[in-house]
């Protein structure tokens, strides 16, 4: 078969999520735990207004999940280490000739074997979701996460040297080997390598440079890029370099990109230092875009840019500050499943 990862804006069957579990993503105090559960539930309910949602829940959180999640959300019990469905779940692909759905099960090792991460349970989630979705399982020997790639559905993939080739992942691979494995699994023919991601994301508790907080491709030939306009923030230089790389790049059809800067929020810091708050980390679903908001003066302007980039879709804002405080955004906690005729629906647990 010839597998291809479609663009995120194609019709979807459902979105997969994982509910926060004991640890940093849930929090230490009762107020922090309530905040996490409410925020994940808010994202799930916003999606459910447009398409089905399935949430994997650790056995220890089932009772809480049933209180925070409405009956329209499908709950599946599964042991979890963490709550970042984009990274621990599979990447869905399609075979255009047969109409079949596939699911790439990458090797997951806690974002490059980060010293703070555990992944003994999460490393099995890709296979589990593949089985539940009715997709054909495609195993890959490459250490990768869904947040580390962005595609246009037409052969182009954006990725990051500090992720796919970084320490703890595939540091003994060449760029050509990574590109060959992506061609085999997600069907891309042109890889555009960004040097790194945002500053905080490259610090101790980050992913070491995921692209889904930096750049997104709403349509082939167009790329949305996180633009830090304040020189006081270290990401000012980072975003300028990423824009330079993209300006010199060509997509799989040989086109130069129409680069659209999405200004970062005005807020520069929190109690931990410079933030990586980004409007790029949005989720495209059927008829809508679930967008990040930060109670910031630039929230509305960013929503307007997304509305132009995704015409005909409602822009649904979620306060993403609780997500970013835990290490990610809306895109990071979700994974979309494209709609194909061959996929079977999961059965809700009683």
């Amino acid at each position: 078969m010839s597998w291809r990862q479609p663009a995120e804006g194609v019709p979807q069957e459902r979105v997969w999520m994982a509910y926060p579990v004991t640890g940093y993503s849930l929090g230490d105090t009762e107020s922090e735990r309530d905040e996490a559960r409410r925020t994940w539930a808010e994202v799930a309910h916003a999606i459910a207004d447009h398409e089905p949602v399935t949430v994997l829940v650790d056995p220890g959180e089932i009772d809480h999940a049933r209180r925070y999640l409405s009956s329209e959300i499908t709950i599946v019990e599964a042991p979890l280490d963490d709550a970042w469905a984009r990274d621990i779940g599979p990447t869905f692909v399609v075979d255009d000739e047969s109409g079949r759905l596939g699911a790439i099960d990458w090797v997951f090792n806690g974002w490059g074997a980060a010293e703070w991460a555990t992944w003994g349970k999460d490393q099995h989630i890709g296979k589990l979701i593949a089985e539940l979705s009715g997709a054909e399982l495609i195993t890959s020997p490459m250490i990768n996460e869904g947040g580390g790639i962005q595609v246009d559905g037409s052969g182009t993939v954006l990725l990051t040297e500090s992720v796919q080739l970084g320490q703890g992942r595939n540091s003994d691979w060449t760029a050509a080997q990574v590109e060959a494995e992506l061609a085999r699994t997600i069907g891309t023919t042109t890889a555009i390598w960004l040097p790194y991601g945002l500053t905080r994301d490259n610090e101790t508790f980050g992913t070491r440079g995921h692209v889904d907080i930096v750049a997104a491709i709403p349509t082939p030939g167009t790329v949305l890029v996180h633009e830090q306009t304040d020189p006081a923030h270290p990401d000012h230089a980072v975003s300028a370099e990423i824009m330079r790389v993209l300006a010199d790049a060509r997509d799989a059809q040989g086109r130069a990109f129409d680069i659209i800067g999405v200004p970062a929020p005005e807020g520069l810091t929190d109690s931990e230092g410079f933030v990586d708050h980004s409007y790029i980390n949005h989720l495209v679903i059927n008829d809508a875009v679930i967008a990040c908001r930060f109670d910031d003066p630039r929230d509305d302007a960013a929503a307007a840019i997304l509305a132009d980039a995704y015409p005909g879709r409602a822009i649904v804002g979620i306060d993403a500050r609780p997500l970013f405080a835990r290490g990610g955004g809306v895109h990071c906690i979700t994974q979309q499943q494209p709609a194909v005729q061959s996929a079977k629906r999961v059965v809700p647990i009683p």
Side-chain angles (χ1 to χ4, degrees), residues 49 57 75 101 104 108 148 188 199 225 262 283 287 301 338:
D49 288 338
V57 181
I75 294 176
L101 179 72
I104 311 301
F108 179 74
T188 52
T199 300
V225 183
V262 183
L283 175 70
D287 303 320

Side-chain angles (χ1 to χ4, degrees), residues 290-341:
I290 311 301
C292 296
R293 296 183 70 88
F294 302 96
D295 191 25
D296 190 271
R298 288 181 174 166
D299 286 351
D300 290 342
I305 293 173
L306 294 178
D308 288 341
Y310 301 100
R313 283 182 160 91
I315 307 301
V316 181
I318 299 289
D319 185 350
R321 288 174 295 175
L323 297 176
F324 276 81
R326 291 163 171 81
V330 170
H331 194 260
C332 302
I333 68 169
T334 55
Q335 178 62 271
Q336 73 282 348
Q337 176 186 333
V340 298
Q341 293 183 349

Side-chain angles (χ1 to χ4, degrees), residues 74-227:
T74 300
I75 294 176
V76 174
E77 186 173 331
L80 294 168
D81 293 299
D82 222 322
W84 309 104
R86 176 71 50 177
D87 296 342
I88 67 178
T91 295
F92 286 103
V93 292
V94 298
D95 178 69
D96 293 321
E97 290 187 5
S98 67
R100 286 188 57 78
L101 179 72
I104 311 301
D105 184 21
W106 310 108
V107 176
F108 179 74
N109 72 342
W111 301 279
E115 61 182 19
W116 50 267
T118 58
W119 58 90
K121 301 169 185 175
D122 285 350
Q123 65 182 333
H124 303 296
I125 296 302
K127 182 178 180 181
L128 173 63
I129 292 179
E131 292 173 349
L132 293 170
S133 67
E136 180 175 331
L137 182 68
I138 303 135
T139 59
S140 173
M142 188 167 78
I143 300 168
N144 191 37
E145 304 93 35
I149 53 176
Q150 285 277 297
V151 302
D152 65 358
S154 299
T156 309
V157 59
L158 306 180
L159 60 169
T160 316
E161 293 176 17
S162 60
V163 174
Q164 283 79 16
L165 298 175
Q167 183 180 3
R169 287 186 175 98
N170 312 291
S171 55
D172 59 342
W173 289 41
T174 65
Q177 287 175 307
V178 171
E179 292 176 21
E181 180 62 4
L182 292 173
R184 182 186 75 87
T185 52
I186 64 172
T188 52
T189 59
T190 298
I192 299 172
W193 290 91
L194 306 181
Y196 35 66
L198 300 185
T199 300
R200 177 175 282 193
D201 196 33
N202 277 288
E203 294 175 351
T204 301
F205 297 104
T207 70
R208 304 182 190 177
H210 271 188
V211 71
D212 71 348
I213 201 173
V214 172
I217 307 176
T219 55
T222 299
V223 61
L224 303 174
V225 183
H226 178 78
E227 184 178 15

Side-chain angles (χ1 to χ4, degrees), residues 228-237 268-269 274:
Q228 178 52 256
T229 59
D230 193 325
H233 196 298
D235 285 338
H236 178 71
L268 301 182
T269 62
F274 288 107

